[in-house]
Amino acid sequence: MKLVSKAVWVSLAGIGFLLAGMPAMAQDWLYTVKPGDTVWDLSHSMLKDWRYWKQILEHNHIKDATTIRPGMRIAIPLYIVREETVKARVEAVHGKVTVTWKGSAVSAPLKRGVALSAGDKVVTGSNSTALIALDDDSVILMQEQSELEFTRLRRLGGGRSLDAGVFVGKGGLKMDANPSHYPDNNYHIRTAAANTAVRGTGFRIGVEKDSSRTEVLKGLVSVGNALGKVDVPENFGTVVTRDAPPVKPVKLLAAPDLSVLPSRIRYLPAVIKLDGPAGARGYHVQVARDAEFMKIVLDRKIKERFMIDQALPDGSYHVRIRAMDRNGLEGKDANTTFLVDARPEPPIVRKPLPGTVLHAGDLEFSWAQVEDVESYLFELSGDQDFGHAKVSQIVRGTDISLSVDQGTWYFRVTSIADDGRKGPPGHSLKIEVLPVPPVPQAKPPATEEGKLILAWQAVNGVASYHLQIASDRDFQNLVVDEKTSKASLALPRPPSGYYYFRLGSIDEEGYEGGFGAPQRFEVKPESYWPLAIFGIAAVLLLL
């Protein structure tokens, strides 16, 4: 007796499909009889030799050739079926995608409009996708960091049906198969752990090492191997490994609630915490420039939080999020859009620092210079909402001096781009201004020198910050490269001169986002006496 291979097979209900190593009928092509078909006509149009017509009758146990009727499905051995080679076409490419042509060991960039044949291998990089269409307009969307190789692309029976085979080495894909519902088209998707035979359905396949997951979006799929078999209906999924029976089908999780995601993001980084549905152990988050999710800019699997950071330019984005269960199966899509409108970023305030003791009278406010920003809106108000601002003034530069009375005050600084466009309002900072005290009795002076203090607005959900200070705007000559969980940092005072610094954020899951815009500041000399003495000496030498 012939042993059954341990390779897993997956088939749509109603499809005659068996793996290699199983009985000979595995190599059959199933054809649906059309009105007007006769065995003799089919033999002339679909077979390599019309004289094989008797084998069709014998193979299907048909005694009278005139008894075939429309709608009947007859099995025809593939070795006698006429076939012709066809190609797939590349509809779209985003990011780094390469192709290795059949018979070649060298890869090349994949471009839109290129034709693909059996034996060609396509690989997508990080945040990269490829959309591939088959001869019948079925489409395959490759996700990032995936490998796909076409094992066969052909038309059977004189062009009557498409027979396509694909091997997925790693990563994932989504396929919308047979959109025109041709009755006899076949699609065979193979991984290291499973095989999927499809006639007309929508599904997702993900591959990780020796296991694969199948999530059925439309249709009914049967999954089995030598150790067991299950039927997977629409909106259910299963996980298959090489040496274990398929997991009992489980219902795909509902789409998560995305109402927690703001429609407009004004401050970066923004940390989003997801919740639900019940049973969710994590989430698959994708952010793209387009609704088709070809131009993906973020693709992450998270536990519950994800961060939209400074690496994301201003603009409109589409987000798609699926909840993952304990088996790693991804549920239904939740889709929405959001706008990043966070530039130019507000500057980091240098004076007054939080907790500084201030007294009524002239106060100095200063901030760092945001790259490509020349003017700022400075506001001072007695209320945190700035509904009745005492001061609202455009400042060209990075400082302003004001006479401020005693009391509780709030101030903020907003960047204004060269074209006049205002960025998001600066973060509101609270100061307490005390009345001027009487002159105290003189005491020996106490100074604290040799320190450079930097502070910034704490962001909810950010675990730590990455601060860099450099002597050049390209940050090639780093002076400071520190990480801290606090919203301020005391550093040894560097030599006098101009410096640049930038700030990045790290979320609670350890993901580090990009840096914000560089900002410039000046460290002035502690004393001008050495410079004055040097100048006088130079003048005397010239006399």
Side-chain angles (χ1 to χ4, degrees), residues 365-442:
F365 300 85
S366 67
W367 51 89
Q369 180 177 328
V370 180
E371 197 74 8
D372 299 325
V373 171
E374 295 184 359
S375 61
Y376 305 85
L377 173 62
F378 176 85
E379 295 174 281
L380 179 70
S381 177
D383 61 279
Q384 196 169 4
D385 296 330
F386 291 83
H388 302 284
K390 177 182 179 182
V391 176
S392 179
Q393 182 175 335
I394 301 295
V395 179
R396 295 187 65 85
T398 58
D399 60 82
I400 186 173
S401 293
L402 298 169
S403 178
V404 181
D405 298 332
Q406 72 178 75
T408 300
W409 297 95
Y410 300 88
F411 75 96
R412 65 186 182 187
V413 184
T414 302
S415 298
I416 303 176
D418 294 341
D419 59 3
R421 179 174 49 87
K422 292 181 182 179
H427 296 288
S428 174
L429 296 177
K430 179 182 178 181
I431 56 174
E432 295 285 349
V433 179
L434 304 177
V436 177
V439 178
Q441 185 178 356

Side-chain angles (χ1 to χ4, degrees), residues 473-529:
R473 64 184 295 174
D474 296 326
F475 287 81
Q476 297 299 311
N477 301 312
L478 289 177
V479 177
V480 175
D481 189 2
E482 296 280 348
K483 292 181 179 179
T484 178
S485 60
K486 299 180 180 179
S488 62
L489 195 63
L491 301 167
R493 184 183 186 279
S496 61
Y498 285 96
Y499 294 89
Y500 295 83
F501 71 91
R502 60 186 182 182
L503 195 63
S505 302
I506 304 170
D507 70 11
E508 295 180 355
E509 296 190 12
Y511 175 74
E512 183 169 350
F515 285 102
Q519 303 187 22
R520 190 179 72 163
F521 67 95
E522 181 184 9
V523 176
K524 296 182 179 180
E526 291 184 273
S527 173
Y528 287 95
W529 278 110

